[in-house]
Amino acid sequence: MKSKRTSDRREFLSDVGRGMVIASVGSGLAGDLGFSSAFADEDAKKLSFGKREPLVELMQQTPVNKLQPLLVNMLKDGSADLRQLVTAGALANARTFGGEDYVGFHAMMALVPAFEMSGELPKARQALPVLKVLYRNTARIQARGGRSNEVLRPVEPAKLAGDKPGGELLRSAVREQKMQQAEGIFAALANELKPEEAWHELLRIVQDDTYIHNVAVAHRAWEMLDLIGRDQAHILLRQSVRLCVKEERDRIKRGWPEPPIRTVLPRLLDQHKLVGRKLGRRKADDAWVLQMNQTINTSTQEQAADAVAAALAEGMDPEAVGEAISLAANQLVIRSTSSRTHSNSLGVHGSDATNAWRNIARMTDQRSTAASLVVAAYHVAGQGQKVRAHDRGKAAQAGGEDPLARFRDKLQQQDASALLRGTEEAIRANDQALASAAILRYGELGHPSRPVFDLMLRFAVSEDGRLHSEKYYRTVTEEFAATRVAFRWRHLVGLARVTASMYGYDRKDNHGHRAPGYEQACRLLGVG
């Protein structure tokens, strides 16, 4: 027989609306958790998520110091599982921030990676990455006022007139910084089209700029639908619409010029006849991938984009083209002379953006596949130009034949366990070069990759990484799997370096800290 507490909590999660939340937990506990009977009448101007609403509101209203004990109890008595917690966290995030808050959308982007990471951990520790991100999520929601300061509201679909494609109408509204109009157009598209078709139209505005977060938010929002369901496509994807409008407004306010990609992309798609054609599947050998990697890393943005467009026009497999772009982004991590390679560094941003563009290229139509890879190359080449400008006159450059040269032959050990111990010691000492050298040596000796991922995963969970640890770990996991054997260890070398960079640092670069919420979650779960 289930305990009364278990039964009460299951009933709590099945109820709908604020009034039922209060009825379920009692007015005293509801007040303690931040709920108020003043909100018992549902406001017609607020979004509601039906049977999910109580748990979504719990994520918004619970004081952050009380959140994890409550969630751990739910996990232990079976009244909620990790998928339900991630779903509620994502919907609470969307309703509160609407894609417009920097810390907020970083928390949203970390939710699916955290959920995926949980599946790689021993059973006793599986909740840790999810709890850590939900703590960050609710802390930011609380800091922004919770339910009293929500961004997303119900939106009236616009009436789409004329023969102009919906994606072009949406792009025009975004470029004109008309938030309400853009929201109405996308609401109409979401109503009239299948989620996949609305997604294709949305990509017109994502490909209209090379800002890393525009593509990352769109990618993670679409990825979230596999957990939440296609019925929430409009809610999750409209975050991307709002972010794109916000970034356009910020660009105008700062006096920045219009992004050149807006003329470069359509010109290259037309010049290489990439619209309306079936892309090829020509396999690439290692030499071709290296050469394309070098082209992207040593060219101007337009030259790199043109090289990728030409390769696709020649029938090269988009996977091989994407692989070369991914390696070019990874090279920025490996070659950087910065003392901080984690957080929003050029290499991490370049790698995360490329991973997003590659995933988008795999799940869309032919035009957007080509466009996504062209924009990815343009972005990475731009990051490379910044790295070269920063490193001018220094030993390490973004270009060069062998990005691993300075790490190779630095160590002579052959024993796998000794190399892993040495890697961990280097990470804890923030020795980026030694951690990178140890993993390079380990990989070149042919040792298995899983123990390395297990080591890096522990730190990805325990460290903050200035909001980037979960995303970058997931990027490396996916890019390692999608890269040929000859080059895949470069991604793990990059992860070792970034992990050593972020260890012990909080968001303000003070040393001696774990990620907020991590240690409390460990105590609640009874793990070290």
Side-chain angles (χ1 to χ4, degrees), residues 205-217:
I205 64 172
V206 179
Q207 294 159 353
D208 212 34
D209 202 344
T210 55
Y211 181 55
I212 163 64
H213 298 122
N214 285 11
V215 63
V217 166

Side-chain angles (χ1 to χ4, degrees), residues 183-257:
E183 278 261 64
I185 291 170
F186 186 67
L189 294 174
N191 274 1
E192 296 174 9
L193 304 175
K194 295 178 181 177
E196 291 77 10
E197 295 169 337
W199 164 248
H200 295 160
E201 299 299 323
L202 177 73
L203 291 177
R204 297 278 184 163
I205 64 172
V206 179
Q207 294 159 353
D208 212 34
D209 202 344
T210 55
Y211 181 55
I212 163 64
H213 298 122
N214 285 11
V215 63
V217 166
H219 166 229
R220 294 301 179 189
W222 180 258
E223 185 180 49
M224 185 71 70
L225 295 179
D226 289 336
L227 289 179
I228 295 181
R230 294 291 193 263
D231 61 310
Q232 297 298 329
H234 175 233
I235 294 296
L236 293 175
L237 294 178
R238 63 187 284 208
Q239 297 176 92
S240 185
V241 174
R242 296 187 68 89
L243 177 60
C244 287
V245 173
K246 177 185 179 297
E247 288 306 315
E248 189 68 9
R249 287 175 174 174
D250 288 348
R251 179 185 70 79
I252 298 294
K253 188 184 301 182
R254 292 164 182 158
W256 291 350

Side-chain angles (χ1 to χ4, degrees), residues 68 72 76 128 131 517-528:
Q68 291 195 135
V72 169
K76 287 181 177 179
L128 279 176
L131 290 173
Y518 169 74
E519 290 171 334
Q520 183 192 33
C522 286
R523 290 193 299 272
L524 291 167
L525 294 171
V527 297

Side-chain angles (χ1 to χ4, degrees), residues 93 101-114 133 136-137 212-221 223-224 239 243 349 352 467-468 470-472 474:
N93 183 294
D101 181 79
Y102 182 87
V103 176
F105 64 63
H106 273 86
M108 183 278 286
M109 292 190 289
L111 280 167
V112 170
V133 175
R136 179 193 303 164
N137 192 48
I212 163 64
H213 298 122
N214 285 11
V215 63
V217 166
H219 166 229
R220 294 301 179 189
E223 185 180 49
M224 185 71 70
Q239 297 176 92
L243 177 60
H349 264 182
D352 284 346
L467 309 177
H468 288 73
E470 295 83 15
K471 294 197 287 38
Y472 186 62
R474 190 64 192 160

Side-chain angles (χ1 to χ4, degrees), residues 7 9 71 96-97 155 157 214 218 291 297 300 307 316 323 344 351 382 396 412 415 484 491:
S7 177
R9 191 172 287 111
L71 299 185
T96 306
F97 305 119
V155 59
N214 285 11
Q291 181 57 53
N297 247 316
T300 66
M316 297 304 297
E323 185 179 359
N344 56 344
S351 296
Q412 299 304 314
D415 179 69
R484 62 195 63 207
H491 293 294

Side-chain angles (χ1 to χ4, degrees), residues 330 333-334 341-342 348 404 407 419-420 422-442 452-453 455-457 459 472-473 476 489-503:
N330 162 262
V333 175
I334 292 173
T341 52
H342 68 281
V348 168
L404 301 171
F407 304 130
L419 286 166
L420 289 176
T423 302
E424 181 165 1
E425 291 169 2
I427 289 171
R428 294 184 184 278
N430 298 117
D431 191 330
Q432 299 176 43
L434 188 58
S436 301
I439 293 305
L440 175 60
R441 176 73 172 165
Y442 181 100
V452 179
F453 277 109
L455 174 61
M456 300 303 163
L457 176 59
F459 290 108
Y472 186 62
Y473 176 84
V476 170
W489 277 87
R490 296 184 181 196
H491 293 294
L492 272 174
V493 171
L495 180 59
R497 181 172 188 190
V498 169
T499 303
S501 174
M502 74 178 177
Y503 176 73

Side-chain angles (χ1 to χ4, degrees), residues 71-149:
L71 299 185
V72 169
N73 282 337
M74 289 179 176
L75 292 171
K76 287 181 177 179
D77 67 25
S79 55
D81 59 25
L82 288 178
R83 180 185 291 265
Q84 289 171 310
L85 296 186
V86 168
T87 293
L91 294 174
N93 183 294
R95 189 162 67 184
T96 306
F97 305 119
E100 296 182 55
D101 181 79
Y102 182 87
V103 176
F105 64 63
H106 273 86
M108 183 278 286
M109 292 190 289
L111 280 167
V112 170
F115 182 77
E116 296 293 341
M117 289 160 66
S118 70
E120 300 177 44
L121 289 165
K123 186 173 178 58
R125 305 181 69 86
Q126 285 181 350
L128 279 176
V130 171
L131 290 173
K132 168 193 168 186
V133 175
L134 289 176
Y135 183 98
R136 179 193 303 164
N137 192 48
T138 292
R140 187 59 177 175
I141 289 173
Q142 290 282 302
R144 292 295 301 271
R147 290 230 64 184
S148 65
N149 194 32

